[in-house]
Amino acid sequence: MTQPIVNIHQLHKSYGEREVLTGIDVTINAGEVVCLIGPSGSGKSTLLRCVNQLEHATSGTVTVLGQTIAADDHEPDIDIDDLRSRVGMVFQQFNLFAHMTVLENCTIAQRRVLGRGKKEAERIAHLNLERVGLGDRGSSYPRQLSGGQQQRVAIARALSMDPELMLFDEPTSALDPELVGDVLTVMRELAEQGMTMLVVTHEMAFARDVADRVVFMDQGVIVEEGPAEQVINSPSQERTQQFLKRVLDPTHASLTDTDR
């Protein structure tokens, strides 16, 4: 039986007396796209950050790519840097180095973390910039790009590390509406190519059409989980129904509008 890419068991995360995650259980298999949806403050981003160890669990276990980190294990017998090099992450903000060109942004981690030579790193960076539709912008600086283009560079940068898992933390939330479609198109293509993805998103059309499963979270717990179309079109839990009714209200974005 194939081992899951991600296996989270009874994950709790607290900041002082405030518990952000309460007993989370999630499994993600190779090639799956799982979208986390829910209101702001429900713990989605914290869960994502626990996967690549930007946050450490208060209790429970997180297993990623066969490596398990238990909350009570203060000296885990794993290589965090190696783990992070195998997990790509794209944030809300683009986090590009302003003083570096697009190409340099996409090669620096390859060279420093993976030890690739300059020519090989640049070759791989060019391939991934082409992949996101920015093959001609390698010599540009981030300030010369639109927000959507900067986010696509961030995706190319992550892909250049040859990740086995991609994490996306609301990658379109900082973009103007007309720029969202280009980023979602790249993500759709990655899903079609079999990339394993865990995505925090408010883009319900994307979640319904691209995800294998949707996980609805509220107040630090998983309220509902299931096939994407089922959860979004026919949610069984009243709290999920309330959330989706607000999100899909005609005065907001339509479910059929994938470019909002």
Side-chain angles (χ1 to χ4, degrees):
M1 185 176 179
T2 303
Q3 188 176 44
I5 296 292
V6 177
N7 188 13
I8 297 170
H9 179 65
Q10 282 300 295
L11 179 65
H12 291 252
K13 175 62 181 177
S14 298
Y15 298 100
E17 296 183 357
R18 183 170 67 95
E19 190 166 43
V20 179
L21 297 175
T22 306
I24 300 294
D25 291 303
V26 174
T27 299
I28 303 170
N29 297 308
E32 267 197 311
V33 178
V34 176
C35 282
L36 303 176
I37 66 171
S40 297
S42 59
K44 307 182 301 296
S45 294
T46 301
L47 175 57
L48 208 68
R49 292 170 68 87
C50 285
V51 171
N52 73 344
Q53 296 301 298
L54 290 174
E55 298 283 355
H56 299 289
T58 303
S59 65
T61 61
V62 178
T63 302
V64 183
L65 298 169
Q67 301 191 62
T68 299
I69 304 168
D72 56 0
D73 188 356
H74 299 296
E75 295 183 6
D77 187 24
I78 67 169
D79 187 336
I80 294 292
D81 291 334
D82 175 68
L83 180 64
R84 287 178 181 159
S85 74
R86 299 165 65 196
V87 179
M89 186 157 185
V90 178
F91 299 86
Q92 297 178 35
Q93 302 299 326
F94 323 122
N95 292 347
L96 300 177
F97 293 110
H99 66 289
M100 292 184 179
T101 66
V102 165
L103 186 62
E104 289 168 340
N105 269 280
C106 292
T107 57
I108 184 171
Q110 292 187 67
R111 299 180 66 185
R112 292 188 178 181
V113 177
L114 301 182
R116 287 176 178 158
K118 184 174 185 290
K119 287 185 178 180
E120 177 66 2
E122 289 183 349
R123 183 187 69 81
I124 291 170
H126 278 300
L127 287 174
N128 285 298
L129 287 169
E130 289 281 356
R131 197 172 175 182
V132 301
L134 294 171
D136 61 342
R137 301 308 297 266
S139 61
S140 299
Y141 286 87
R143 64 179 179 275
Q144 297 172 310
L145 304 178
S146 70
Q149 289 172 324
Q150 290 185 61
Q151 191 62 294
R152 282 186 282 155
V153 170
I155 294 173
R157 176 181 59 186
L159 292 174
S160 293
M161 298 293 288
D162 299 327
E164 298 168 60
L165 168 68
M166 285 286 287
L167 309 177
F168 293 87
D169 188 6
E170 297 189 29
T172 60
S173 65
L175 301 179
D176 292 333
E178 68 269 21
L179 303 176
V180 168
D182 289 341
V183 173
L184 293 181
T185 295
V186 170
M187 294 172 65
R188 287 173 186 270
E189 291 171 352
L190 290 178
E192 290 169 0
Q193 292 161 9
M195 176 64 73
T196 307
M197 298 163 57
L198 180 58
V199 184
V200 174
T201 185
H202 290 294
E203 303 290 341
M204 294 301 112
F206 173 85
R208 182 201 60 190
D209 297 342
V210 178
D212 297 291
R213 281 184 291 130
V214 165
V215 176
F216 173 67
M217 294 180 62
D218 188 30
Q219 297 183 352
V221 301
I222 293 176
V223 176
E224 185 165 355
E225 176 182 359
E229 189 168 349
Q230 174 186 312
V231 171
I232 292 178
N233 289 352
S234 304
S236 62
Q237 299 299 311
E238 183 178 357
R239 181 65 188 95
T240 316
Q241 295 168 9
Q242 293 171 347
F243 171 78
L244 289 169
K245 184 177 181 180
R246 290 195 182 96
V247 171
L248 303 176
D249 188 282
T251 61
H252 297 84
S254 168
L255 179 61
T256 59
D257 180 4
T258 59
D259 296 324
R260 72 179 179 87

